[in-house]
Amino acid sequence: MIAVPDTTSTEPGKVATLLSAQYGLAAFALARLDMGQGTVNYRATVPGHDDVFVKCYPPGTNLDAELEAITLTRLAARHGVPVAPVIPAAGGQAIAANGPTAISAWQ
C-alpha cells in the first residue's frame, strides 16, 4: 500500500498565516509552483514588495539538515556566488514553524 502524505500543514492558508505572523508579509496571493523535490513551494505576491519565494517543509522533514543547507547557501553568497537570499523570520531564524507547518522565505 502506498502511504498518502499529510499535506494539511502545507495548505496555502496555513502558509499565508505563518508568513504574516513570522515575517510581517501579508500575501495578497499564493501561487503553488510545480517544482521542488522535498518541499511544497509557493510564490507569494506581497503588496509593496517583490514577490517572495516560500518553501514549505512537509511533516517529517529534517529541519536541521535544511538549516545546514541554508547556511551553505549563505556561505556561497559571501564568496560571490549569486544566490537568492533567505529572509529572516521575526526571531532571526531562517525557518519559521508553528506546529507542523514550517517555512522559509526567500527574495
Side-chain angles (χ1 to χ4, degrees):
M1 175 194 275
I2 297 173
V4 178
D6 174 14
T7 58
T8 58
S9 66
T10 62
E11 291 174 351
K14 292 182 180 180
V15 172
T17 297
L18 193 53
L19 192 61
S20 177
Q22 290 294 316
Y23 296 89
L25 299 172
F28 174 74
L30 278 177
R32 178 146 181 202
L33 304 173
D34 293 326
M35 59 186 338
Q37 295 182 14
T39 57
V40 176
N41 300 310
Y42 295 95
R43 179 181 52 243
T45 303
V46 180
H49 294 275
D50 290 334
D51 285 354
V52 174
F53 178 73
V54 181
K55 294 179 73 146
C56 185
Y57 305 96
T61 299
N62 182 340
L63 294 180
D64 289 334
E66 295 294 334
L67 286 169
E68 288 179 26
I70 292 170
T71 298
L72 291 175
T73 299
R74 289 174 167 164
L75 177 63
R78 284 197 300 271
H79 289 279
V81 176
V83 298
V86 68
I87 301 169
Q93 67 274 25
I95 296 176
N98 182 17
T101 303
I103 65 170
S104 59
W106 305 74
Q107 293 180 348

